[in-house]
Amino acid sequence: MAGFEFYNEETATLEKEIERLGMALDIDWSDDVQVRALAREALSHGASELRAAANRAGDYRLRAKAELFGLAAVMLRIMEKSAGEGVLTHGGPAWKSFGRALWEESSGA
């Protein structure tokens, strides 16, 4: 299970970035309504589209959202890959809150 350490390191790194971007965007990860709205936006707008708009406008909040939405895709991919190896991978409170909201929004729950 050599990949296990990799997943832990990647998860910790991503969690820190998710938290950093959350602070820049003033996200309260314990506010389910706010996080669900963010997840809904992440699923309805492509990160590349958002990044392009942010670069044109020079808007740091749009750039932060684009980066956060890109990290969400990486986060989900890491969880998928680790699950395929029989490893449960998850981060801290921000990761869990955002991951749950993404799951709920994508499944229509």
Side-chain angles (χ1 to χ4, degrees):
M1 193 163 309
F4 184 70
E5 293 81 17
F6 168 78
Y7 294 126
N8 284 339
E9 290 172 18
E10 286 293 307
T11 300
T13 300
L14 284 174
E15 175 76 15
K16 286 179 188 174
E17 286 302 304
I18 290 168
E19 289 173 347
R20 180 184 67 81
L21 292 165
M23 287 187 333
L25 295 168
D26 200 29
I27 297 169
D28 176 359
W29 295 110
S30 65
D31 181 341
D32 292 337
V33 173
Q34 182 186 30
V35 178
R36 282 280 301 253
L38 184 68
R40 193 174 310 114
E41 186 177 357
L43 293 170
S44 66
H45 299 291
S48 60
E49 289 176 20
L50 194 58
R51 188 174 300 112
N55 287 334
R56 281 192 308 271
D59 185 335
Y60 83 91
R61 289 184 58 85
L62 282 176
R63 275 196 297 267
K65 274 188 180 182
E67 191 173 335
L68 180 62
F69 295 170
L71 290 178
V74 173
M75 174 181 77
L76 293 172
R77 181 70 178 131
I78 288 172
M79 290 190 299
E80 178 184 46
K81 284 181 72 175
S82 66
E85 295 179 17
V87 176
L88 178 62
T89 302
H90 56 81
W95 175 298
K96 290 175 185 172
S97 176
F98 196 32
R100 180 176 47 252
L102 287 164
W103 175 258
E104 289 170 350
E105 284 298 318
S106 68
S107 67

